[in-house]
Amino acid sequence: MIAVPGGTFTMGSERFYPEEAPLRRVSVDAFLIDRTPVTNRQFAAFVEATGHVTVAEIAPDPKDYPDMLPGMDRPGSLVFHKSAAPVDTSNPANWWRFEFGACWRQPLGPDSDIDSLDLWDHPVVQIAYGDAEAYAKWAGKDLPTEAEFEFAARGGLEGKDYAWGDELSPGGTMMANTWQGLFPFANQMLDGWERTSPVGTYAPNGYGLVDMIGNTWEWTSDWWSEKPETPKKAAGKSCCTLSNPRGGRLKDSLDPAQPGVRIGRKVLKGGSHLCAPNYCQRYRPAARHPEMIDTSTSHIGFRCVLRKPRSLPARIK
């Protein structure tokens, strides 16, 4: 893990997507955070020690999904499939497919496995929120809040679009594992990777952290809210700051487009290898995305934090 000194920063963005606004001043206390996302090798050690069975390995209960189609009550998970030609990018069903048998051991479906694909040092994927939470508890850690993740991802830079500055690929250098070309059918693979990459393939940020941007989305502990919490202006004061915000409420995180599904959504951060200039420009610290806690996919992973350890420096004002 790497020590991140606490401090105050400008969270959010008003240049990309509405759910990232408004800009707000936020302070976080010092904490430790995993240098890399949790890898398949690390997750395998957890499973061996605990016998944990992931959500993707358990058949869903039709009672929880009133609109479930017949025959879908089998274990599996969502896998990305590149389209053969341009498609309507407003419909994710054009590239996501539910694969029976897909899980962290077989991230692309039953005909794949992390050993034959040499994925041991890639981020673990096909991880639902409860799986990430169980790992963190086993490791004596926690999952980061949205504010902690964004503060760490910025690496000490203030007000920059990306974790390394204001240019996506400075001098033509790929700074993270993202999609180059037209999503979801033409990946030029200028970064050398079609899907995930080994952790640490790209240069660390200012705090020495790798893959905070791109590669895989990462779970945070915060419930989703369409409009992030903003500081309450105190009487007689010209400015104010949120201290260690902890996200929204479970009931407010429910997806209004699916009123029959009462499953909360958590905030994902960091973007993934599927983020592209023509779709989902979320390879940025301010970017955020909601995900139901029961969902696992081939592009979602996680890392852990440890708060208030004795060895951390005091907050830097």
Side-chain angles (χ1 to χ4, degrees):
M1 304 187 83
I2 286 182
V4 174
T8 301
F9 73 111
T10 302
M11 189 172 178
S13 172
E14 295 179 337
R15 289 171 42 80
F16 291 86
Y17 298 100
E19 70 272 10
E20 299 169 13
L23 298 176
R24 60 259 187 218
R25 294 294 287 171
V26 171
S27 66
V28 295
D29 293 332
F31 59 98
L32 289 170
I33 187 168
D34 290 344
R35 188 181 72 87
T36 76
V38 173
T39 64
N40 283 303
R41 190 182 307 278
Q42 292 169 319
F43 197 79
F46 157 66
V47 171
E48 182 176 0
T50 64
H52 180 81
V53 179
T54 62
V55 171
E57 297 170 280
I58 301 171
D61 188 341
K63 292 185 297 184
D64 296 328
Y65 306 92
D67 299 325
M68 179 184 288
L69 296 174
M72 293 299 292
D73 54 343
R74 296 161 54 192
S77 194
L78 290 167
V79 176
F80 170 78
H81 289 272
K82 186 166 62 174
S83 65
V87 294
D88 177 8
T89 56
S90 68
N91 183 8
N94 284 324
W95 54 85
W96 286 114
R97 188 183 305 163
F98 190 87
E99 298 281 0
F100 297 121
C103 64
W104 75 272
R105 293 184 177 87
Q106 300 171 311
L108 306 182
D111 294 330
S112 69
D113 67 81
I114 57 176
D115 199 33
S116 64
L117 294 173
D118 193 22
L119 299 178
W120 287 104
D121 295 315
H122 288 231
V124 64
V125 294
Q126 303 296 10
I127 297 298
Y129 181 79
D131 303 321
E133 193 175 44
Y135 178 98
K137 183 177 181 181
W138 170 76
K141 304 176 185 179
D142 293 296
L143 297 177
T145 66
E146 180 179 2
E148 288 169 339
F149 190 100
E150 184 165 332
F151 184 80
R154 290 183 179 277
L157 297 180
E158 174 70 13
K160 300 297 183 181
D161 284 342
Y162 305 103
W164 46 85
D166 284 326
E167 189 177 351
L168 176 58
S169 52
T173 300
M174 299 296 110
M175 302 298 292
N177 183 355
T178 61
W179 184 289
Q180 297 90 50
L182 296 177
F183 181 88
F185 67 97
N187 189 350
Q188 297 173 319
M189 290 176 44
L190 300 179
D191 58 8
W193 299 97
E194 181 79 48
R195 293 184 181 267
T196 60
S197 52
V199 299
T201 297
Y202 300 88
N205 72 2
Y207 289 142
L209 303 169
V210 299
D211 293 328
M212 294 294 291
I213 299 299
N215 214 359
T216 60
W217 283 101
E218 298 186 30
W219 288 106
T220 74
S221 60
D222 286 5
W223 292 113
W224 171 263
S225 61
E226 292 294 336
K227 288 295 182 183
E229 181 184 1
T230 55
K232 302 296 189 294
K233 187 175 181 179
K237 293 187 177 181
S238 59
C239 66
C240 38
T241 301
L242 278 174
S243 179
N244 298 305
R246 290 293 188 265
R249 300 179 298 178
L250 167 59
K251 67 177 184 178
D252 296 328
S253 76
L254 301 177
D255 188 351
Q258 301 186 67
V261 179
R262 309 296 291 174
I263 298 174
R265 297 181 295 169
K266 293 283 187 175
V267 177
L268 298 180
K269 294 289 280 186
S272 81
H273 59 279
L274 300 183
C275 290
N278 73 309
Y279 177 81
C280 186
Q281 297 180 47
R282 291 184 170 89
Y283 30 58
R284 298 170 293 104
R288 55 200 302 267
H289 183 71
E291 193 67 74
M292 287 185 180
I293 58 175
D294 67 329
T295 300
S296 54
T297 74
S298 58
H299 76 332
I300 298 177
F302 72 102
R303 76 180 73 206
C304 302
V305 298
L306 184 61
R307 300 186 184 97
K308 298 183 179 178
R310 298 175 183 175
S311 61
L312 287 184
R315 178 188 296 178
I316 299 173
K317 298 291 186 181

